[in-house]
Amino acid sequence: MELPASHTEDSRPRRWQPGMALRVAIGFAAVALTVVIANLSTQQSVREAREKVRELLVQHEPLVRATESLAAAVSMYERAVIDQSESSLAGPQTVKAAAQRMTDAAKEYEQAASRFTELDSPAPLNAELSDLVAAGDELLRSSNARRTRVRDYWRRFDALETSLNAPQAKAVRFAGAVFASEKLMDLSRNLAEVREQVSAAMGVSSPRSAQSIIASENAFRSRLQQNAAELARLHGQPWLDQVRNNFNAVVAGRRAVFASIETFNEQSMLFRDQSAEISGKVVTQLVEPARRALADADRLAVRASDRADSQLSWASGITLALLLVIAFATVTGVTAPVRRLTEATRRLAGGAVRTRVLRGGVRELDTLAEAFNEMAEQLQQAQNAVRAHQLELEARVAERTQELNHLAHHDPLTDLPNRRHLLAHLEDAIDRARLRNSRIALLFIDLDNFKTINDSMGHAFGDRVLQAVSERLRMNSLFSRSFCARLGGDEFTVVCEEVNQLGDVERLSRSVLEEFQRSLSVHGRELRISVSVGACVFPDHASDSHALLRAADSALFSAKELGRNCWSLYAPRLLEAAASRFKVEQALRRAVERNEFELLYQPEVCFESLETHTVEALLRWRQPDGNVVSPADFFAVAEQTGLIADISDWALRTAIQTAALWHKGPWPKARVAVNISSQQLISSSFVTRLQSLLQQYELPAQCLEIELTENVLQTGANTVAALKRLRELGISIALDDFGTGYSSLTSLERLPLTRVKIDRSLVTTIDTGGRSPAIVRSIIGLCHSLGLQVTAEGVERPTQLGVLLTDRGVQVQGYLVSRPINAATVPVFIAEGRAHLEQLMIAAPPPLPEGDTNTTRLRTLRAATGRGARAARTPADEK
């Protein structure tokens, strides 16, 4: 490859050029020679400075160290004596060691000063040091005396507290509390105040709180004198004399302590002053002269060192100049080739991969230029390879982008368009329909009971079913020009354009239902499924995409409610119903958070014993505006949204808590019946939860009865197992609303029931003739033969009660007996219920003759009660 004209090599033979190593070696040899010469001239000055420093170290420094050691020993002795006298942190051995060190330091100083004749003879300090040691010993003796008096004072104080608190140990105890004399408690508080003040005063070096302590002592003495008569009467004169003597001893001890503290403080100040005076003399008379002599010697050493530094500076300057010359020569031999390399590198970085460097210069740079040219050649080859790879990568990115765009608008499982694609297509279809003034049909398709397929066959099989459904929608000839999409889960959507009339929507919906009447083949299995279809039409039912989706969803919900495997066309009432359900759902969620629910209780009475055996807990929703909503108005929404679990658990816990209060209070035989939802019963933790609530509120199991409707009992073997566990705990189980719904005699045989409650629909017509009386009597006879108790619900008229009174062992519940009442009114009803039930028995007319001569004893009892209602009742009659 040809180079630019400026980079062609010179054809003339090049002269010899030394290498980089040789040039550096020459430079370093010159530098080494200069350094040797400078070193020889500097050694003489260094020897002179060394002699001065040796003289400084041998003669002056020992004297300075001796004076400083003496000053430090004096200070250490003072600190040891102060620490021992004030806090006993330093022991006696420490003080003795500090005194010995001070004596040794004085001797060392005398020896050092004797060898140094230039100093003036200092005044002797041995006598003053001996006086300082004597003062320290006296201070320590005073400190020991102070501590002894302090310990004696607190011993007396403890004796005073012991004698003062002795009567409290014998005070009367009642209900876990101790009652003592109020005067004695006041004295104890005054004494505690004295203790606090004395403790605070002893914590410092001088008693600055003496006046407040004396005032507190006088207050104690005054209070003791004022209450002497009463204290002597309560606790005895010997005890009072003992307290006085102990108090006087405490006051005397306190005075002795403060006197010893004052003596100690005076001696401490004298010792400190004496120590400061000696320390000052040591500094002024010994340390400072020695340091001045040391400073003079140091100046001489500095002068010698300065001369050596000056000679070294000259030598360094010469060496530096020589280095500069060598560096300049080396740089000029290197910079030209480097500039060529730099320019070539810049051009190579700019993309000119054909650039090459002219070789030449020192051997190392010539080798570097050769390596650069090889690198440029390889870089050119790599660039060609990168360009080829880039083209391949761009093709792959374009392919992957197309795949991602498909995934963004299609369901990965069924490969049908997803919700985003559906919304975009629906918007475009609406725009086209507006331009053509045509209709659009939107169908929502939902698989019936798809959860059962997932639960029984597994989710993988369920995914295969969804794929088979999507494939069938694609293959349907009616939808060949339609747009099919999967919304999610088991919901599919079909958008049909150019719908001429509403009848076409019905034809499309029915074709979907017929299409899925044929079995699906999934993994070799023939599977029959059904679908529900909700349909709406643009612009008849909605004018935008989101409104159409809501309308179709409302129609689908209606089809589900109609029994599945059918279709429903949108009507405004469906959306209103959905909005109403949503409103109720949101209100229910707020009600759960705000605790807006309450329980009312309706008695179940027995006219044979004239007693109330059970009350049924009835749930009510009291809204913020004061309206009360019955469960029939919100129970279905609560079950659909799953809120029924929280509501039912609250009702169960509240009923058990209320029954426990009755059981422990006004109604020992309390018994409450609670309705249980199907979701609660099939929960694996329901029985455990119920057992823990009974233990928490200490309610016996026989005080609780669980009421279940017949549709709840259709949940299978798990339900039967849960009911048997409840019976093992001793909880009663009642079958509510018997006679409607899924009534089955098999349920009475296989379920562990204790009670059957006849539905109000049978009781309503029991007094109007027809077959109801015979049906009710048959149910009662059947239940009695099975050992089950019977309750008739919905008794509202005396004539109904009259018919029921002809049978024994039937409990009655209804508005005739009592409307639902709150928890506070239940004990009142229990107490006054007998008279009320007697009046109802009197007012109940006998049933019409039916040709049955087997009159029961209860009817006779009712007649007897009617004849003797006005008569006086004896205790025997009452029993």
Side-chain angles (χ1 to χ4, degrees):
M1 183 179 298
E2 295 183 357
L3 298 173
S6 58
H7 292 173
T8 58
E9 295 186 1
D10 193 351
S11 58
R12 294 174 299 176
R14 291 179 297 176
R15 60 184 179 179
W16 177 82
Q17 293 288 342
M20 182 72 70
L22 181 58
R23 296 189 182 193
V24 173
I26 294 172
F28 276 112
V31 171
L33 180 61
T34 304
V35 169
V36 169
I37 296 173
N39 184 53
L40 293 176
S41 64
T42 306
Q43 284 180 353
Q44 181 64 31
S45 298
V46 171
R47 280 195 295 270
E48 295 178 0
R50 188 181 298 116
E51 289 295 329
K52 295 296 182 181
V53 172
R54 187 183 63 80
E55 180 183 356
L56 180 67
L57 295 176
V58 173
Q59 296 183 4
H60 293 82
E61 284 195 2
L63 180 62
V64 174
R65 286 197 299 269
T67 57
E68 292 177 349
S69 177
L70 178 59
V74 172
S75 177
M76 182 178 296
Y77 176 73
E78 177 187 3
R79 189 161 55 251
V81 171
I82 294 301
D83 292 342
Q84 171 67 16
S85 62
E86 290 184 351
S87 59
S88 298
L89 294 177
Q93 297 300 327
T94 304
V95 176
K96 291 180 181 180
Q100 183 63 38
R101 180 178 177 182
M102 185 172 62
T103 304
D104 296 341
K107 292 179 181 179
E108 291 177 0
Y109 170 75
E110 290 177 357
Q111 294 176 1
S114 64
R115 294 193 299 269
F116 199 85
T117 58
E118 297 179 3
L119 290 177
D120 297 333
S121 299
L125 297 175
N126 292 333
E128 294 181 357
L129 294 177
S130 299
D131 294 341
L132 180 62
V133 172
D137 295 340
E138 183 64 25
L139 179 61
L140 292 177
R141 285 192 292 272
S142 176
S143 174
N144 293 333
R146 181 193 61 173
R147 292 192 185 97
T148 302
R149 291 180 180 177
V150 168
R151 287 194 297 270
D152 181 65
Y153 171 77
W154 287 119
R155 180 182 56 78
R156 296 178 181 181
F157 198 95
D158 293 339
L160 175 58
E161 275 190 336
T162 302
S163 59
L164 186 62
N165 294 332
Q168 297 186 20
K170 302 176 182 179
V172 178
R173 291 182 175 270
F174 178 75
V178 178
F179 295 88
S181 170
E182 182 179 356
K183 309 300 182 182
L184 191 60
M185 298 301 290
D186 293 340
L187 289 175
S188 297
R189 285 191 288 272
N190 289 344
L191 188 60
E193 183 179 357
V194 172
R195 175 185 283 274
E196 292 177 359
Q197 293 176 350
V198 172
S199 299
M202 290 183 181
V204 295
S205 56
S206 90
R208 294 176 294 179
S209 305
Q211 295 299 327
S212 60
I213 295 173
I214 294 172
S216 298
E217 291 175 348
N218 291 337
F220 180 85
R221 181 183 290 107
S222 176
R223 188 175 297 275
L224 181 63
Q225 186 63 29
Q226 291 174 2
N227 302 317
E230 182 178 351
L231 293 174
R233 178 177 57 82
L234 293 175
H235 308 297
Q237 186 63 36
W239 173 83
L240 183 60
D241 295 339
Q242 182 184 2
V243 171
R244 286 175 174 170
N245 293 334
N246 290 340
F247 178 71
N248 294 331
V250 168
V251 174
R254 191 264 304 162
R255 293 172 181 169
V257 167
F258 282 9
S260 64
I261 292 176
E262 291 178 359
T263 302
F264 170 77
N265 290 339
E266 292 175 0
Q267 293 180 356
S268 177
M269 293 299 297
L270 291 176
F271 176 77
R272 292 173 187 269
D273 294 341
Q274 188 174 358
S275 176
E277 182 180 358
I278 293 176
S279 298
K281 288 183 178 181
V282 170
V283 171
T284 57
Q285 297 181 10
L286 302 182
V287 177
E288 291 182 357
R291 287 180 176 174
R292 285 195 297 271
L294 180 63
D296 294 338
D298 182 64
R299 281 193 295 273
L300 295 177
V302 168
R303 290 194 189 100
S305 177
D306 289 342
R307 285 195 300 271
D309 290 343
S310 176
Q311 293 178 0
L312 186 61
S313 298
W314 278 104
S316 299
I318 295 172
T319 303
L320 179 62
L322 183 60
L323 286 175
L324 290 176
V325 172
I326 295 173
F328 179 78
T330 303
V331 168
T332 54
V334 172
T335 52
V338 169
R339 280 197 299 270
R340 291 197 298 269
L341 281 171
T342 303
E343 180 64 23
T345 303
R346 185 179 297 110
R347 295 180 60 189
L348 185 65
V353 294
R354 297 175 178 270
T355 302
R356 301 293 183 269
V357 178
L358 180 66
R359 297 175 57 182
V362 298
R363 282 197 307 272
E364 290 82 357
L365 292 178
D366 185 66
T367 303
L368 182 61
E370 182 180 5
F372 179 87
N373 292 335
E374 293 178 359
M375 179 190 68
E377 183 69 24
Q378 295 175 1
L379 186 61
Q380 182 178 0
Q381 296 175 2
Q383 187 181 45
N384 295 333
V386 167
R387 287 178 179 175
H389 182 70
Q390 184 177 4
L391 294 175
E392 181 182 358
L393 183 61
E394 288 177 354
R396 291 182 180 179
V397 169
E399 180 182 359
R400 186 59 178 167
T401 302
Q402 185 177 2
E403 293 177 358
L404 291 176
N405 186 52
H406 180 79
L407 288 176
H409 294 85
H410 289 77
D411 176 50
L413 178 64
T414 62
D415 203 35
L416 288 176
N418 58 12
R419 178 182 289 271
R420 177 186 297 178
H421 196 177
L422 169 66
L423 290 174
H425 179 83
L426 191 57
E427 291 287 351
D428 295 339
I430 290 175
D431 293 338
R432 290 192 296 269
R434 286 196 179 102
L435 292 176
R436 294 195 296 259
N437 196 22
S438 60
R439 284 188 171 96
I440 298 175
L442 178 63
L443 306 183
F444 264 27
I445 304 172
D446 184 83
L447 305 185
D448 296 334
N449 301 316
F450 181 71
K451 184 177 183 301
T452 304
I453 298 177
N454 270 337
D455 294 341
S456 59
M457 308 298 293
H459 289 277
F461 187 83
D463 291 343
R464 299 294 183 271
V465 172
L466 293 176
Q467 292 172 347
V469 170
S470 64
E471 186 64 24
R472 180 159 292 187
L473 289 176
R474 288 193 192 95
M475 300 303 295
N476 192 314
S477 59
L478 290 176
F479 299 147
S480 58
R481 300 180 60 185
S482 302
F483 181 85
C484 300
R486 182 192 177 200
L487 284 182
D490 58 343
E491 290 188 354
F492 296 86
T493 306
V494 177
V495 179
C496 302
E497 299 187 46
E498 298 181 0
V499 176
N500 297 323
Q501 55 188 356
L502 295 180
D504 295 339
V505 178
E506 180 179 0
R507 179 175 57 82
L508 290 171
S509 300
R510 293 191 180 279
S511 68
V512 172
L513 297 177
E514 294 173 358
E515 182 68 28
F516 287 97
Q517 294 298 322
R518 296 186 295 108
S519 60
L520 289 174
S521 178
V522 180
H523 274 262
R525 292 188 178 186
E526 293 297 323
L527 184 68
R528 290 188 175 273
I529 63 172
S530 62
V531 297
S532 299
V533 181
C536 65
V537 178
F538 170 88
D540 302 70
H541 300 146
S543 58
D544 60 80
S545 59
H546 294 284
L548 278 174
L549 292 173
R550 288 196 301 271
D553 190 49
S554 300
L556 177 62
F557 186 83
S558 175
K560 291 287 188 182
E561 287 187 335
L562 292 175
R564 307 176 188 270
N565 194 22
C566 62
W567 76 283
S568 176
L569 183 63
Y570 170 78
R573 59 178 178 80
L574 298 180
L575 193 57
E576 294 174 0
S580 177
R581 284 194 302 272
F582 180 76
K583 182 178 179 181
V584 172
E585 176 188 350
Q586 296 302 310
L588 273 177
R589 296 187 185 276
R590 290 191 297 269
V592 171
E593 295 175 357
R594 300 173 183 175
N595 197 18
E596 296 178 358
F597 296 102
E598 63 180 16
L599 287 182
L600 299 180
Y601 300 89
Q602 189 173 35
E604 299 178 17
V605 301
C606 176
F607 280 91
E608 296 182 36
S609 60
L610 298 179
E611 293 181 351
T612 301
H613 291 175
T614 309
V615 292
E616 180 182 359
L618 301 175
L619 181 66
R620 295 294 185 267
W621 175 13
R622 186 173 295 277
Q623 295 180 330
D625 57 2
N627 293 331
V628 178
V629 183
S630 65
D633 296 330
F634 65 85
F635 202 78
V637 177
E639 285 188 327
Q640 294 170 3
T641 58
L643 292 173
I644 189 64
D646 294 335
I647 298 173
S648 299
D649 186 75
W650 175 89
L652 180 62
R653 183 180 67 254
T654 304
I656 291 176
Q657 182 180 10
T658 305
L661 294 176
W662 292 335
H663 176 70
K664 299 173 185 177
W667 189 15
K669 297 181 180 180
R671 182 184 179 91
V672 63
V674 184
N675 290 277
I676 299 301
S677 66
S678 59
Q679 294 185 15
Q680 279 182 293
L681 188 60
I682 63 177
S683 173
S684 59
S685 61
F686 171 68
V687 178
T688 304
R689 168 65 173 166
L690 186 57
Q691 189 174 6
S692 65
L693 289 175
L694 293 175
Q695 294 175 355
Q696 177 182 354
Y697 295 107
E698 299 178 357
L699 181 68
Q702 59 268 22
C703 295
L704 179 64
E705 182 175 87
I706 298 300
E707 290 193 6
L708 306 171
T709 56
E710 291 178 303
N711 59 345
V712 174
L713 298 177
Q714 306 303 315
T715 52
N718 292 335
T719 300
V720 178
L723 295 179
K724 289 182 179 179
R725 290 182 60 191
L726 293 177
R727 289 297 300 130
E728 291 173 359
L729 294 176
I731 299 173
S732 301
I733 301 174
L735 179 58
D736 197 12
D737 299 337
F738 185 79
T740 61
Y742 301 95
S743 295
S744 172
L745 297 180
T746 306
S747 299
L748 298 180
E749 186 274 331
R750 67 187 182 92
L751 297 177
L753 302 175
T754 57
R755 179 186 301 275
V756 171
K757 302 185 74 173
I758 303 175
D759 186 68
R760 64 175 60 246
S761 62
L762 294 175
V763 177
T764 300
T765 58
I766 198 174
D767 58 340
T768 59
R771 299 179 179 180
S772 294
I775 295 174
V776 170
R777 282 196 299 271
S778 300
I779 294 174
I780 294 172
L782 176 62
C783 292
H784 284 171
S785 64
L786 295 175
L788 302 177
Q789 302 174 16
V790 181
T791 298
E793 296 181 305
V795 179
E796 300 179 354
R797 296 188 297 274
T799 53
Q800 296 172 335
L801 177 62
V803 176
L804 292 172
L805 289 178
T806 61
D807 292 289
R808 297 287 306 277
V810 178
Q811 296 187 18
V812 177
Q813 177 184 1
Y815 282 3
L816 181 64
V817 176
S818 173
R819 287 182 174 272
I821 56 180
N822 56 38
T825 311
V826 170
V828 178
F829 181 87
I830 299 301
E832 302 175 357
R834 177 178 290 272
H836 176 60
L837 296 180
E838 289 178 351
Q839 293 298 325
L840 290 178
M841 288 182 64
I842 295 171
L848 295 176
E850 300 177 4
D852 187 0
T853 59
N854 185 18
T855 305
T856 63
R857 187 174 68 87
L858 182 59
R859 188 183 303 171
T860 305
L861 289 175
R862 184 189 63 182
T865 304
R867 291 193 299 268
R870 304 293 183 181
R873 301 176 60 91
T874 64
D877 295 331
E878 198 64 42
K879 181 177 180 181

